[in-house]
Amino acid sequence: MSEAEETERATLEKMSKIWVGQGFEVFIQPSGKLLPNFLQRYRPDALLIKDDDKVLVEVVRKGQRNAEERVRRLKELMVNQNEWRLEVVYSGEDVVSVRRVAADKILESLRSAEDLLTKEPRASLLLFWASLEATVRNLFPNQTSRPQSPGRIIELLAGSGEITPSEAQSLRHLMRLRNRVIHGELNAVVKPSEVKPMLQLARQLLEPRLE
C-alpha cells in the first residue's frame, strides 16, 4: 500500500468512528453489490447508510491529481438522485468541532427564517435546518459536538421523545427537500405551509432554553 493510500485509509478509519457514533452503517471501499445503480462503474471511497440518510463519501488527498474532476464527475452522476447526498472528506484536515450558540441567537435566526418564508422559501428552509441543528446542540451537548446530519438530528429528537412520530415524519420530508436544494436543485418547490409548522416546532424546543 502506497503512502497516499495509507493516508486515505487512516482518514476513513478516523471518520468511521464519528459516522458510527452518528448511527450510520459504514462501508469502506464498498463492493459492487452495495453500490446504487446510477454509479455504474464508479466506486466511492465509502457508503454511509442510516434510514433515509444515504451518503456517498469521496476522500480528497492534499496534492491529489484530478481530485476536483473526480468530485465533479460524481456530482454529475448524482443529478436527480434525491435519495443520496455527497460528503467530501479532505484527508489530513482535523475534524471540526462546532460550538454551541446561545438560545437568543438561535431565536433571531428562526425569526430571520420566518421573514424569508414567503419571499424565498428555499433560503428559509436552509436557515431553519441550521437553526434546528443549533437547537439540538443545546439540547444534547454531549452528543453533538461535531457537525450533525439532518437524519441524526431527527433521530435525536424522536428518540428522546422531544417530537412526535408525525412531527418526525414532517421533518424527514423537509430533510429530503433540504438535501435537494443544498446540492443544487434550485428549482425544487418548497411550500411555506410545510416549513412554517416546523419553524414553530423549533421555537417550542428552544423555549425552555430562553427562560
Side-chain angles (χ1 to χ4, degrees), residues 32 37 50 54 86 88 98 110 116 128 133 135-136 164 196 201:
N37 292 333
K50 181 181 64 176
K54 299 179 181 179
L86 173 64
V88 179
V98 183
L110 288 170
L116 285 168
F128 158 72
E133 180 169 350
T135 299
V136 167
T164 66
K196 187 174 182 178
L201 173 63

Side-chain angles (χ1 to χ4, degrees), residues 117-176:
L117 194 54
T118 55
K119 295 177 289 186
E120 185 43 80
R122 289 180 293 272
S124 176
L125 175 64
L126 298 184
L127 190 53
F128 158 72
W129 271 106
S131 303
L132 184 63
E133 180 169 350
T135 299
V136 167
R137 188 160 286 113
N138 274 269
L139 294 173
F140 309 99
N142 295 329
Q143 301 175 57
T144 55
S145 61
R146 306 294 188 185
Q148 302 295 303
S149 69
R152 173 62 170 163
I153 290 171
I154 298 171
E155 179 184 289
L156 283 170
L157 291 171
S160 63
E162 293 284 350
I163 59 175
T164 66
S166 62
E167 289 168 339
Q169 187 61 33
S170 295
L171 283 175
R172 290 189 184 96
H173 170 67
L174 290 188
M175 175 187 72
R176 289 188 285 270

